[in-house]
Amino acid sequence: MNPSVAAAAAVALAAALPWVAGDAAVNWGLLVLLQVTVAQSWNLLGGYGGQVNLGHAAFFGIGALVTRGLWVQGTPVVGALVAGSAAAAVAGLVVGLPSLRLRGPYFAIGTLAMAEILRIVVGTTLPEVSALPSDLITGYRLVPRYYLALALAVLSTAVVWRVSCSRFGMGLVAIREDEWVAETVGVDTYRHKLAALLLSAALAGAAGGAFGYYHLSFYPQFVFSPVWTFDAVLMVFLGGIGTVWGPPVGATFFVLLREALALRLTELHVLVFGAVFVVVVLTLPGGLVDVARVLRAMRVRRPQPA
Amino acid sequence: MSKRFGGVQAVRELDLEVGEGEIFGLLGPNGSGKTTVFNLVAGVLAPDAGEIRFGGVLLNGLPPHRRAALGVARTFQLVRSLGRLSVADNVAVARLYGATPARSVDAARQEASQLLALVGLAGKAHLPAASLNLAERRRLEVARALATRPRLLLLDEPLAGLNADEVQAEVGLFRRLREEGLTLVLVEHNVPAVRSLCDRVAFLHAGEKVAEGSPEQVLSHPRVVEVYLGGAAG
């Protein structure tokens, strides 16, 4: 099937979900859509630009806390979300300006350090659980939050698609393949990496903002947990790194399988999950979006019966 | 210009001038500083002393991508390609940047296919660059460098590892490029090719210029003969 037809069908299906399914399914759908944005934002910088961000959780967490704080104080949610997204982008600038000048592991180390420092600082300065005030709980509706998550998933995928067929995207991919060659043919590698990081951080911050708007109560430290980073990495690799459709496929597979396994196997699901991840990466280096191509290749190779 | 790496003086007070439209050869034994000169001109390394000028513009302190925008392009001695990209996209991305970028990705891809035809890679455009053999990758490097629309093309051992027919094809291509107004500087060990191709050559030894002039003059210079052959004889 044509990818754009498949995408339109998937969006239509997702948009129809609240009309045909109950709250539990809508809740699962929301988690999937939220993770599409988280994975897609990591993919933009990591999959296209080749820059390994090990502190993606920091952008998610900043977006979540800023958005939730402003919204609880009375800012309209869209304004609060934009502010949360912008705050995450500023954090991206702070970590990227020094570390992206250097080639090698400095960016990975810098982002990891930033996220862990933020997690610890938030954990000590905001130790109390963040619960919504009673007036906001009274007016709480799940469906608008679901549509917000859907809008962000579509937006982040559209951004990655747009980048993937642009000059900027070609420059990013050249950096991923060989930074010296990219620089030699005229790509301003520093600016390209920085721009991709800002976009990536803003999208992750928006996803965090949607989480802060959605969740009834959580410890502020939780949104800075490294789990947000490593889930993103897993989903991107499972679905197909450096592709437009890999992260949505990976996020759907990852969240639904994890929830289904967690219901039946509780803690044991982590083991099963690790095995699934290893099998997918070994047999499908291009991720799940590569399945169709690999199957076609196998059918061609299989000898015809005499 | 000069460049020192730790205790090694890679290039010592070297003074070179290449005229527009010239084919200039840099000769010298391994380790004599030829590639270092390229890296200094392309902006990969910064000189410890001296000036690098390109058409009157001082290049010192400009990063490589700014020099590419001014019209300096290079190939690498150890070929480097954007391995998972198609051969066509290796060239298209260079067409989107460099001195006079294409207006759109589509236009860049179209012009890339013309450049691939020029270097004889049209039939491989859709393969990943990693699947090419050495001779093909060298030609891809030339196409990629040309895609930046340079005025100066630095070729680092463009003939190394090629067979006689391939060398002939490359030499013909370089002559055609010069006729189109390009200036070429090449580092090359293939003496017959240098003799037939270059207008002028300079011979480097231990980072210093030993001789400069026509290929005939330089290759018969006593110090050059001594360095190239004398080491074995003495």
Side-chain angles (χ1 to χ4, degrees):
Chain A
M1 192 173 11
N2 185 325
S4 50
V5 174
V11 171
L13 213 65
L17 186 74
W19 300 87
V20 295
D23 269 3
V26 173
N27 207 38
W28 279 27
L30 187 148
L31 291 175
V32 168
L33 293 167
L34 212 57
Q35 292 284 32
V36 169
T37 304
V38 176
Q40 203 63 280
S41 60
W42 193 91
N43 181 44
L44 179 63
L45 182 65
Y48 286 88
Q51 306 301 307
V52 178
N53 173 0
L54 294 182
H56 211 46
F59 303 139
F60 184 85
I62 289 169
L65 290 197
V66 170
T67 303
R68 190 175 176 93
L70 290 173
W71 170 60
V72 167
Q73 282 165 30
T75 313
V77 66
V78 173
L81 195 86
V82 169
S85 174
V90 169
L93 206 61
V94 169
V95 69
L97 276 175
S99 63
L100 286 177
R101 275 203 184 279
L102 308 161
R103 293 179 169 83
Y106 301 99
F107 178 68
I109 294 166
T111 47
L112 182 63
M114 173 195 63
E116 281 302 281
I117 290 167
L118 275 176
R119 185 177 64 82
I120 292 162
V121 168
V122 167
T124 44
T125 54
L126 301 169
E128 303 296 328
V129 73
S130 164
L132 290 182
S134 55
D135 56 323
L136 287 177
I137 291 191
T138 322
Y140 187 94
R141 298 280 177 278
L142 183 60
V143 172
R145 285 155 176 88
Y146 174 85
Y147 281 118
L148 176 64
L150 175 60
L152 288 177
V154 170
L155 173 73
S156 60
T157 302
V159 165
V160 169
W161 172 76
R162 188 71 198 82
V163 165
S164 75
C165 43
S166 71
R167 174 182 190 254
F168 173 60
M170 294 277 277
L172 276 183
V173 168
I175 291 170
R176 176 189 76 198
E177 294 296 308
D178 189 324
E179 203 163 337
W180 274 123
V181 168
E183 182 77 27
T184 304
V185 299
V187 180
D188 187 340
T189 54
Y190 180 56
R191 280 216 191 162
H192 274 67
K193 291 190 288 184
L194 209 53
L197 172 61
L198 288 187
L199 257 180
S200 168
L203 288 171
F211 184 84
Y213 176 58
Y214 150 76
H215 220 282
L216 292 174
S217 70
F218 57 84
Y219 285 97
Q221 193 182 2
F222 170 67
V223 284
F224 289 86
S225 161
V227 165
W228 294 105
T229 300
F230 295 116
D231 280 0
V233 176
L234 285 174
M235 291 182 286
V236 167
F237 273 93
L238 280 172
I241 187 166
T243 66
V244 175
W245 306 114
V249 169
T252 308
F253 177 80
F254 177 86
V255 175
L256 295 184
L257 187 66
R258 183 183 61 184
E259 298 292 317
L261 286 175
L263 278 181
R264 285 166 185 76
L265 303 171
T266 64
E267 285 305 301
L268 207 64
H269 84 276
V270 178
L271 267 180
V272 177
F273 223 85
V276 168
F277 181 71
V278 169
V279 167
V280 169
V281 168
L282 285 181
T283 56
L284 286 171
L288 293 169
V289 289
D290 218 20
V291 140
R293 196 189 56 79
V294 169
L295 285 181
R296 223 176 302 131
M298 280 166 67
R299 205 173 310 145
V300 172
R301 233 180 295 139
R302 191 178 301 149
Q304 296 296 314
Chain B
M1 56 189 173
S2 298
K3 180 68 191 177
R4 172 181 284 281
F5 298 116
V8 179
Q9 187 79 42
V11 175
R12 190 191 305 270
E13 293 175 16
L14 178 69
D15 191 3
L16 280 179
E17 195 170 333
V18 178
E20 208 173 327
E22 238 186 331
I23 301 186
F24 190 92
L26 271 180
L27 298 175
N30 290 325
S32 59
K34 306 179 299 288
T35 296
T36 303
V37 171
F38 270 22
N39 284 334
L40 290 170
V41 176
V44 176
L45 298 171
D48 300 325
E51 287 188 344
I52 301 164
R53 289 186 174 274
F54 175 64
V57 182
L58 186 66
L59 293 185
N60 293 43
L62 293 183
H65 71 263
R66 293 275 303 121
R67 299 185 194 205
L70 288 170
V72 180
R74 72 169 303 180
T75 66
F76 293 91
Q77 181 182 358
L78 301 169
V79 288
R80 305 178 81 141
S81 40
L82 310 172
R84 281 175 291 179
L85 297 194
S86 70
V87 169
D89 276 358
N90 264 262
V91 180
V93 69
R95 210 41 225 102
L96 286 167
Y97 292 87
T100 42
R103 266 173 295 123
S104 69
V105 174
D106 285 343
R109 289 210 165 106
Q110 214 151 26
E111 291 176 45
S113 61
Q114 291 163 13
L115 281 162
L116 288 174
L118 180 74
V119 301
L121 284 175
K124 309 255 176 181
H126 297 292
L127 297 177
S131 69
L132 297 185
N133 66 33
L134 178 69
E136 291 165 341
R137 276 199 237 184
R138 285 212 186 281
R139 281 185 272 153
L140 175 58
E141 287 227 343
V142 173
R144 193 175 64 208
L146 290 176
T148 66
R149 293 274 170 88
R151 289 195 288 150
L152 170 65
L153 180 55
L154 305 167
L155 298 159
D156 201 346
E157 302 202 18
L159 307 176
L162 304 190
N163 67 34
D165 290 344
E166 291 163 347
V167 167
Q168 273 310 309
E170 292 300 277
V171 167
L173 172 65
F174 297 156
R175 284 215 180 92
R176 258 182 294 152
L177 293 176
R178 187 255 294 276
E179 279 160 25
E180 288 170 21
L182 205 62
T183 307
L184 286 88
V185 178
L186 55 141
V187 163
E188 191 46 64
H189 289 298
N190 184 329
V191 171
V194 167
R195 210 187 277 272
S196 79
L197 190 60
C198 294
D199 306 309
R200 287 195 307 132
V201 300
F203 189 91
L204 302 188
H205 179 50
E208 285 183 274
K209 186 165 72 182
V210 172
E212 183 178 352
S214 74
E216 298 312 320
Q217 282 169 345
V218 169
L219 288 166
S220 58
H221 190 282
R223 279 274 285 145
V224 172
V225 175
E226 185 195 346
V227 171
Y228 253 174
L229 305 172

